[in-house]
Amino acid sequence: VQLQASGGGWVQTGGSLRLSCEASGRTSSMYTTGWFRQAPGKEHEFVAVRRGGSGVAVYADSVRGRFTISRDNAKNTVYLQMNSLKPEDTAVYYCASTSKGLIMMTIKSPSEYEYWGQGTLVTVSS
């Protein structure tokens, strides 16, 4: 499975961006796909994930109500719509995918995801 992330850029506080993660290769709509981010000097942080099959979305507290994760199965693409962006959202955003059936205790753990995209930089200026 190969993941191609895109859509990052520079935006002012309060602005919006939409990230895309296109999957190719041996992928499936049953795969769980999500977004993580990494700010300078920090570890990977869970942002949002959409469960394969059920499509249930899980969000980090810091983005709930501002970000929306969605999927277009026909395009094998997962989107992250980011609204009301804040300077603390500045990071490199990575999409990740797994064929595992994750439970709530592990779905936010980066180590559970075996496929990763290359990252796209989001910069929010104040």
Side-chain angles (χ1 to χ4, degrees), residues 32-112:
T32 290
T33 301
W35 292 91
F36 294 81
R37 65 188 181 188
Q38 187 172 26
K42 296 187 177 181
E43 296 183 351
H44 278 90
E45 176 191 14
F46 168 78
V47 177
V49 66
R50 189 175 177 89
R51 285 186 178 277
S54 69
V56 172
V58 180
Y59 297 95
D61 291 342
S62 59
V63 307
R64 188 176 293 112
R66 300 187 297 124
F67 291 11
T68 302
I69 188 169
S70 62
R71 184 184 183 113
D72 184 334
N73 287 331
K75 296 182 178 180
N76 287 330
T77 300
V78 171
Y79 302 98
L80 184 68
Q81 177 66 44
M82 306 186 296
N83 298 329
S84 302
L85 282 162
K86 306 174 181 180
E88 51 264 43
D89 294 319
T90 295
V92 177
Y93 283 70
Y94 298 89
C95 62
S97 187
T98 179
S99 59
K100 303 174 188 177
L102 301 180
I103 60 175
M104 281 304 295
M105 288 182 63
T106 57
I107 203 168
K108 299 179 182 181
S109 174
S111 63
E112 295 294 334

Side-chain angles (χ1 to χ4, degrees), residues 4-30:
Q4 181 71 38
S6 61
W10 179 91
V11 66
Q12 291 185 322
T13 296
S16 298
L17 285 173
R18 188 178 78 158
L19 305 184
S20 299
C21 176
E22 182 178 3
S24 60
R26 193 175 178 180
T27 185
S28 167
S29 62
M30 297 301 292

